[in-house]
Amino acid sequence: MLKQLLGVIDAAANHEDLQELLLHRPVAALPFAGRYRLIDFALSSMVNSGIGSVAVFPRGSYRSLMDHLGSGKNWDLNRKRDGLFFFPPMEVKDNDFRGTGCFAHFAENLDFFYRSTQEYTLVSNSYTVINDDLRTMLDTHQKYGCDITEVYKNGKALNIYLLKTSLLIDLIENREDTGYRSLDDVIDDFSSPYTSCRFEYKGYAEQVDSIKSYYKISMDLLNPTVWHTLFKKEQPVFTKVKDEPPSHYYKGSSVKRALLANGCKVRGEVENSIISRGVSIGQEAIIRNSIIMQKSQIGENCILESVILDKDVKVEPGTILIGSPQNPIVIGKGSVVQPTAAKASSLLAL
């Protein structure tokens, strides 16, 4: 049944409240949960539901996203027929990128939709952390004769849509006449001629659209109930595979209530934190309530609390960084943090 579905991921979102983490990447490529990127959740949900043709529509700074997705092999989408497609924009104006599913962006690749044989199209954003079952959604859509079905969680719209491919093509082609720039516009227009339905999703679903939400949702994963609700054995979340050795916990180290990816070297103390691949933590260092991204190096006798370190950050020995859950300290990719600068940052956070 799900061979009727075409997958489309809108990876063009650019949340202002996330800019500190989006200087070198789109939100779709934002590292999450130690070894994943945000796009992995929408993409894995589609693949686990039997969708074999997925198109990704990014915007700017998409090199890291291309590197992550590659040929689609890790999602079984490197196929001769259908598979993974990547469509960067060419001449789309900035003000056309409003809402989920930019019709002007889709119009540049209209031939892709014409060639698709799937009767229905699922359009998803790239920043919703969800591991859903699309079969029930399609059943509901067909049962009630809906034109467009949108996914909701606890009454909140998740900007994930299901509609016939022919209707999507019609909306793209007639965007100048209707004034609709995206699927959000269609749903928000109460005078729209289309029948819209709500699909209330029962599982775990959260949207990352700010530093605060990114930090909170990441910390929620340390709750085993939340983790097992999102990461299901029968419906895994796929990501780019990297061959690295297991993490090494040296004598005297301590790790409590934390997620650690492979390739880490831990000599200090880690508590209630998420540590990505290849991170080095020095002796007597203390990491609490923090998110440490790939290949960051934390020196000896450092104290980090409520901190988000982007990739490849080097924290010099003796540095103290103390933020708060409401206002975590964010250190940009590739930064070198000296003890004197760190004390000023800690005071500002307080």
Side-chain angles (χ1 to χ4, degrees):
M1 179 180 68
L2 288 173
K3 291 182 179 179
Q4 300 178 65
L5 270 175
L6 173 69
V8 171
I9 298 178
D10 182 346
N14 186 29
H15 299 300
E16 291 185 4
D17 291 341
L18 269 171
Q19 285 308 303
E20 292 170 278
L21 295 174
L22 302 183
L23 297 177
H24 306 282
R25 62 171 74 92
V27 65
L30 183 61
F32 185 76
R35 59 189 299 266
Y36 301 92
R37 304 288 181 123
L38 284 182
I39 196 172
D40 292 339
F41 296 89
L43 188 55
S44 296
S45 293
M46 291 179 178
V47 170
N48 283 326
S49 299
I51 297 177
S53 182
V54 180
V56 178
F57 289 82
R59 193 176 176 182
S61 302
Y62 51 79
R63 184 189 61 81
S64 60
L65 184 59
M66 289 185 66
D67 177 70
H68 179 69
L69 296 176
S71 65
K73 178 181 178 181
N74 293 298
W75 297 265
D76 191 30
L77 289 173
N78 56 332
R79 306 179 180 188
K80 292 183 178 179
R81 180 175 297 178
D82 292 331
L84 181 68
F85 300 86
F86 200 86
F87 296 121
M90 300 296 291
E91 299 179 356
V92 182
K93 299 177 181 178
D94 286 343
N95 60 2
D96 282 327
F97 287 102
R98 183 181 69 192
T100 302
C102 173
F103 292 152
H105 194 173
F106 291 172
E108 290 189 338
N109 303 279
L110 200 52
D111 285 348
F112 168 76
F113 295 99
Y114 282 141
R115 292 196 305 267
S116 299
T117 60
Q118 292 83 0
E119 183 179 0
Y120 296 92
T121 298
L122 180 83
V123 181
S124 174
N125 61 68
S126 61
Y127 52 86
T128 299
V129 180
I130 186 172
N131 193 0
D132 59 353
D133 186 346
L134 306 176
R135 288 168 290 194
T136 307
M137 182 180 180
L138 182 56
D139 289 341
T140 301
H141 182 85
Q142 293 173 329
K143 178 180 178 181
Y144 292 102
C146 309
D147 290 320
I148 304 175
T149 296
E150 184 175 14
V151 181
Y152 276 71
K153 174 65 178 179
N154 295 330
K156 177 185 177 182
L158 296 182
N159 311 110
I160 300 173
Y161 303 100
L162 178 66
L163 69 165
K164 280 195 172 182
T165 305
S166 58
L167 174 56
L168 179 58
I169 292 173
D170 183 67
L171 289 168
I172 296 168
E173 291 180 331
N174 295 293
R175 66 191 185 281
E176 298 296 339
D177 295 330
T178 62
Y180 298 142
R181 296 183 183 180
S182 67
L183 284 169
D184 287 2
D185 287 350
V186 181
I187 291 294
D188 292 342
D189 182 8
F190 293 110
S191 62
S192 166
Y194 306 107
T195 302
S196 60
C197 301
R198 292 187 177 190
F199 176 78
E200 186 68 28
Y201 180 63
K202 303 298 183 183
Y204 181 88
E206 296 287 350
Q207 292 189 317
V208 175
D209 54 12
S210 66
I211 295 294
K212 186 176 180 179
S213 65
Y214 176 75
Y215 180 83
K216 179 185 181 302
I217 295 166
S218 297
M219 292 295 103
D220 285 347
L221 296 180
L222 296 173
N223 182 333
T225 301
V226 173
W227 176 269
H228 291 298
T229 300
L230 181 62
F231 294 92
K232 310 168 187 176
K233 289 183 179 180
E234 69 278 8
Q235 193 172 329
V237 178
F238 301 101
T239 191
K240 181 179 180 180
V241 175
K242 292 187 178 181
D243 297 323
E244 291 180 297
S247 290
H248 189 173
Y249 303 92
Y250 289 80
K251 184 177 180 180
S253 64
S254 173
V255 177
K256 301 176 183 177
R257 201 170 183 263
L259 294 175
L260 274 79
N262 48 339
C264 297
K265 296 179 179 179
V266 182
R267 294 177 173 86
E269 177 184 330
V270 179
E271 183 177 352
N272 204 61
S273 297
I274 296 176
I275 313 296
S276 297
R277 296 180 174 110
V279 171
S280 175
I281 300 173
Q283 193 171 4
E284 302 297 327
I286 299 174
I287 315 297
R288 293 195 184 106
N289 308 315
S290 295
I291 301 167
I292 312 298
M293 295 188 194
Q294 187 173 342
K295 294 184 179 179
S296 290
Q297 301 176 44
I298 301 167
E300 297 178 354
N301 299 302
C302 291
I303 299 176
L304 275 61
E305 185 165 346
S306 296
V307 172
I308 300 174
L309 297 189
D310 208 331
K311 295 173 61 176
D312 300 309
V313 171
K314 184 176 181 180
V315 182
E316 297 287 0
T319 298
I320 299 175
L321 289 170
I322 300 177
S324 68
Q326 294 74 31
N327 187 27
I329 295 174
V330 180
I331 305 297
K333 180 181 177 181
S335 299
V336 177
V337 185
Q338 303 283 350
T340 52
K343 289 180 181 178
S345 299
S346 301
L347 289 173
L348 288 173
L350 296 173

